[in-house]
């Protein structure tokens, strides 16, 4: 939840920023965030005024003080977020867990009290159905350049070329095939040789364990592809041997 | 037995009739006791000034030739029929609360104050009194400050991220107090440059012995990845044209409000004033039965204090 707030605090969310966020939080939160940013709202549990009433009551803030606060900050959801004292210890709840817990007054007060301010303000917008942020460049083909973290699945040492895939649910979906141009290519080939799981002619299938950073200038829908999308000018940026495959960008975040 | 008021409001500012002096007056008066060097407290044109030794150099720098005298924190002075003393307010270097005693009756004027300590200024000390005059710049329950260390860590992170892009980081802060608190809190993380107005005050405080890191006054482009501390006004001058690639952030208590953050790319909520809980704790620690409010949300804050069972009204 805190990471989602940090991501939104960077300004209008671009696909590039989303990919970086998705790489941090893993597939479950990434797909929850993806749904929120494409306009799906969680069920509203209370109007902003009701949230403010709950917080005022819980903090024993008399009505005249609430009124004085609203003169300074007219947004009721903001005042509701600011009235609660700051948490002494931060919560580690994911975005997905936060949303599934967010059901009633008691749950709201518990969640809000445990969150630092920026995340609490997002929570209030989600709880009151006033969350409006959308990812730029969505349902249409995207002109916005982006990056993603993809997993190496197939390698052709004669190219040398490699196929990269992104997670979609429990499956890995091939995204693009690129020439291996990185200075670490010999090391990558050596790793592939030691981790081949199957062969199809010159192609070797490898353990899906290595994460690579890809950049592209945009995306175009393509229904003939399993991924449903073509990358515009894809290129290989870096090998990230320290990253585990759960850091890969979910396919939905690239589309 | 009830005592006459030791401090009353006059057109020139707060006045102590039994001592025949004003506190932080804005209108010309013969004798001014000044809590600290901010311009809404220390103004030109007074016959004589009295402030702490620590506050005096900045006040002289800002007001020019004045007839001024310094006192030590806690030192007792007889003025007219009253005994006065200055006590740390934790707001900026040298800042003080002023205690006035008259035949066993004690009043304290808080000046501006901050209850949480920082790396630079003399920490706030509660002073027992019958009547406490409190500022309430942030006297609403929407103002809760994060611990300073957390905010400084966020600033350091922002600075490092900018440096990684070969961008300078420009932090906007008030030239006296906040600017030096930032450099003291971020010392040792990289090169710190200053706008000339900030550097003037910094040099004075450094000469007084306040623990401030080395800084370079900035003419032209800053070194790659440097932190630049400037006043908000400086960004509207030609000086800002030489900055090269840079990111700007503001550091103020007002950054707690979304409306104040609008148009800024980065903002840090860091204040030299007490927050809501700080104000309430400070008032409780004085043991005062009467609390008079000034500077800020005086009406609702006073009403809040009355609801808690204290005698309270707005004084200024
Ligand atoms: Zn001040
Ligand atoms: Zn002031």
């Amino acid at each position: 939840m805190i990471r989602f707030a940090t991501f939104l605090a960077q300004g209008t969310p671009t696909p590039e920023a989303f990919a970086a966020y998705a790489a941090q939080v893993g597939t479950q939160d990434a797909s929850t965030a993806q749904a929120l940013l494409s306009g799906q709202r969680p069920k509203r549990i209370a109007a902003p005024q009701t949230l403010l009433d709950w917080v005022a009551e819980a903090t024993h803030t008399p009505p005249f003080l609430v009124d004085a606060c609203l003169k300074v900050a007219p947004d009721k959801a903001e005042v509701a977020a600011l009235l609660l004292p700051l948490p002494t210890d931060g919560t580690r709840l994911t975005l997905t867990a936060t949303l599934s817990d967010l059901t009633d007054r008691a749950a709201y007060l518990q969640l809000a009290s445990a969150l630092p301010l920026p995340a609490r303000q997002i929570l209030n917008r989600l709880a009151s159905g006033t969350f409006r942020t959308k990812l730029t460049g969505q349902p249409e083909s995207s002109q916005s350049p982006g990056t993603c973290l993809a997993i190496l699945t197939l390698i052709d040492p004669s190219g040398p070329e490699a196929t990269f895939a992104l997670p979609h649910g429990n499956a890995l979906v091939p995204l693009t095939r690129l020439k291996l141009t990185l200075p670490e290519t010999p090391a990558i080939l050596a790793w592939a040789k030691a981790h081949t799981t199957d062969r199809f002619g010159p192609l070797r299938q490898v353990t899906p364990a290595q994460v690579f950073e890809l950049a592209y200038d945009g995306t175009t829908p393509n229904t003939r592809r399993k991924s449903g999308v073509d990358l515009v000018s894809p290129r290989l940026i870096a090998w990230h041997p320290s990253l585990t495959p759960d850091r890969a960008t979910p396919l939905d975040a690239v589309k | 037995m009830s005592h006459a008021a030791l401090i009353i409001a006059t057109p020139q500012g707060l006045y102590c009739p039994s001592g025949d002096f004003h506190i932080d007056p804005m209108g010309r008066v013969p004798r001014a006791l000044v809590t600290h060097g901010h311009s809404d407290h220390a103004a030109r044109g007074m016959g004589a000034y009295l402030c702490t030794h620590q506050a005096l150099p900045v006040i002289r720098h800002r007001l020019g030739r004045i007839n001024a005298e310094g006192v030590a924190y806690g030192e007792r002075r007889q003025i007219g029929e009253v005994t006065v003393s200055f006590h740390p307010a934790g707001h900026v270097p040298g800042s003080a609360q002023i205690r006035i005693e008259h035949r066993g009756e004690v009043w304290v004027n808080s000046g501006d104050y901050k209850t949480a300590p920082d790396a630079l200024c003399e920490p706030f000390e509660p002073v027992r009194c019958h009547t406490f005059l409190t500022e309430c710049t942030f006297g609403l329950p929407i103002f809760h400050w994060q611990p300073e260390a957390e905010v400084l860590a966020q600033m350091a992170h922002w600075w490092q991220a900018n440096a990684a892009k070969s961008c300078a980081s420009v932090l906007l802060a008030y030239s006296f107090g906040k600017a030096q608190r930032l450099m003291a809190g971020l010392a040792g993380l990289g090169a710190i440059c200053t706008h000339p107005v900030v550097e003037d005050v910094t040099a004075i405080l450094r000469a007084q012995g306040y623990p401030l890191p080395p800084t370079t006054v900035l003419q032209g482009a800053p070194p790659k990845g440097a932190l630049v501390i400037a006043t908000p006004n400086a960004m509207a001058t030609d000086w800002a044209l030489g900055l090269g690639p840079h990111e700007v952030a503001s550091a103020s208590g007002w950054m707690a409000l979304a409306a104040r953050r609008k148009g800024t790319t980065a903002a840090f909520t860091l204040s030299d004033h007490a927050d809501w809980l700080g104000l309430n704790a400070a008032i409780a620690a004085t043991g005062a039965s009467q609390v008079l409010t000034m500077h800020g949300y005086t009406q609702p804050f006073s009403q809040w204090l009355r609801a808690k069972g204290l005698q309270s009204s707005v004084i200024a």
Side-chain angles (χ1 to χ4, degrees):
Chain A
M1 186 63 204
I2 291 171
R3 283 192 162 137
F4 185 57
T6 308
F7 157 63
L8 293 178
Q10 293 161 4
T12 316
T14 61
E16 191 180 19
F18 185 81
Y21 160 74
Q24 282 183 348
V25 295
T27 49
Q28 198 183 36
D29 260 20
S31 66
T32 304
Q34 173 75 17
L36 289 174
L37 292 169
S38 52
Q40 285 178 39
R41 307 256 158 73
K43 193 172 167 305
R44 151 185 166 142
I45 63 158
Q49 177 67 55
T50 309
L51 292 184
L52 182 53
D53 291 344
W54 289 349
V55 170
E57 195 190 345
T59 55
H60 308 289
T61 307
F64 76 86
L65 268 186
V66 175
D67 290 344
C69 295
L70 285 169
K71 280 191 192 138
V72 177
D75 179 344
K76 287 170 183 158
E78 184 188 9
V79 171
L82 292 171
L83 273 180
L84 284 170
L86 298 174
T88 45
D89 195 15
T91 177
R92 277 172 196 64
L93 270 193
T94 63
L95 174 64
T96 314
T98 302
L99 284 178
S100 75
D101 284 6
L102 188 58
T103 48
D104 58 10
R105 177 186 185 277
Y108 164 76
L109 286 173
Q110 196 181 355
L111 288 165
S113 303
L115 285 172
L117 265 182
R120 194 187 283 169
Q121 274 154 352
I122 305 290
L123 180 80
N124 283 7
R125 282 156 58 193
L126 292 168
S128 59
T130 55
F131 185 84
R132 298 272 182 269
T133 313
K134 279 201 172 190
L135 203 58
T136 57
Q138 280 219 338
E140 304 304 325
S141 70
S142 148
Q143 292 309 306
S144 29
T147 62
C148 64
L149 293 173
I151 299 168
L152 173 70
T153 52
L154 292 168
I155 203 156
D156 177 354
S158 67
E161 275 186 352
T163 300
F164 298 91
L166 294 182
H168 184 64
N170 291 325
L172 278 176
V173 178
L175 178 72
T176 188
R177 188 169 164 166
L178 291 170
K179 269 241 180 312
L180 282 176
T181 49
L182 296 173
E184 302 97 327
T185 301
I188 296 165
L189 292 173
W191 179 88
K193 197 169 175 185
H195 294 85
T196 299
T197 53
D198 213 341
R199 285 167 182 259
F200 316 94
L203 283 181
R204 293 159 180 262
Q205 181 177 301
V206 298
T207 314
Q210 296 300 328
V211 177
F212 287 78
E213 188 173 353
L214 274 49
Y216 48 90
D217 290 342
T219 56
T220 336
N222 183 343
T223 49
R224 285 174 304 164
R225 287 212 188 277
K226 201 171 166 194
S227 67
V229 68
D230 274 326
L231 298 184
V232 181
S233 318
R235 53 219 180 258
L236 197 53
I237 298 295
W239 180 26
H240 290 295
S242 63
L243 291 185
T244 48
D246 62 318
R247 296 304 195 82
T249 308
L251 176 62
D252 287 344
V254 170
K255 283 207 263 188
Chain B
M1 153 186 164
S2 90
H3 290 257
L6 289 185
I7 301 174
I8 58 170
T10 72
Q12 289 76 27
L14 296 175
Y15 176 66
C16 173
S18 306
D20 191 20
F21 59 80
H22 286 77
I23 299 174
D24 292 347
M26 288 294 110
R28 289 173 175 243
V29 300
R31 178 162 217 171
L33 272 59
V34 174
T35 58
H36 65 290
H38 280 154
S39 57
D40 56 329
H41 299 262
R44 250 179 259 269
M46 313 305 157
Y49 294 80
L50 186 68
C51 61
T52 65
H53 288 304
Q54 289 86 341
L56 191 50
V58 170
I59 290 176
R60 279 198 196 284
H61 165 72
R62 303 196 136 188
L63 302 186
R65 281 177 62 89
I66 54 171
N67 169 23
E69 192 187 349
V71 291
Y73 281 116
E75 179 184 338
R76 291 163 77 87
R77 288 273 178 121
Q78 188 74 29
I79 303 179
E81 295 172 22
V82 303
T83 306
V84 301
S85 52
F86 290 66
H87 303 269
H91 171 60
V92 292
S95 67
Q97 312 172 68
I98 295 177
R99 180 185 186 276
I100 302 171
E101 183 173 346
H102 181 246
R103 295 178 189 156
E105 173 83 357
V106 178
W107 285 38
V108 170
N109 179 320
S110 74
D112 288 342
Y113 68 100
K114 170 170 67 56
T115 48
D118 62 53
L120 196 60
C121 66
E122 301 81 5
F124 176 85
E125 281 176 18
V127 181
R128 302 284 296 178
C129 56
H130 301 99
T131 295
F132 187 48
L133 275 67
T134 183
E135 64 122 327
C136 48
T137 307
F138 292 104
L140 287 177
I142 47 176
F143 296 110
H144 296 281
W145 306 152
Q146 260 185 299
E148 184 193 46
E150 288 178 18
V151 183
L152 289 172
Q154 290 163 10
M155 286 179 178
H157 182 263
W158 170 78
W159 179 9
Q160 277 156 10
N162 294 336
K165 306 185 286 183
S166 292
C167 256
S169 302
V170 181
L171 207 42
L172 303 182
Y174 199 74
S175 63
F176 168 43
K178 183 73 62 65
Q180 291 76 25
R181 181 180 169 195
L182 294 175
M183 57 183 78
L186 296 167
L189 299 177
I192 301 180
C193 301
T194 51
H195 181 270
V197 169
V198 172
E199 188 62 27
D200 284 351
V201 180
T202 304
I204 291 166
L205 293 172
R206 194 183 278 125
Q208 283 179 253
Y210 285 102
L212 291 166
T215 50
T216 315
V217 65
L218 188 66
Q219 335 262 12
K224 265 205 165 85
L227 179 72
V228 181
I229 300 180
T231 60
N233 291 345
M235 296 311 285
T237 67
D238 285 353
W239 173 86
L241 300 176
L243 284 170
H246 65 275
E247 294 280 347
V248 183
S250 298
S252 157
W254 296 110
M255 294 299 133
L257 300 175
R260 301 285 187 117
R261 289 193 302 269
K262 248 190 196 136
T264 63
T265 47
F268 301 102
T269 305
L270 189 76
S271 178
D272 294 334
H273 295 267
D275 69 356
W276 173 254
L277 295 175
L279 290 168
N280 280 279
I283 288 165
T286 64
S289 55
Q290 173 172 250
V291 179
L292 306 177
T293 60
M294 56 185 185
H295 302 312
Y297 301 107
T298 50
Q299 288 286 1
F301 193 53
S302 185
Q303 190 177 347
W304 162 253
L305 295 173
R306 288 196 297 277
K308 291 213 301 182
L310 294 166
Q311 266 182 281
S312 182
S313 57
V314 177
I315 188 165

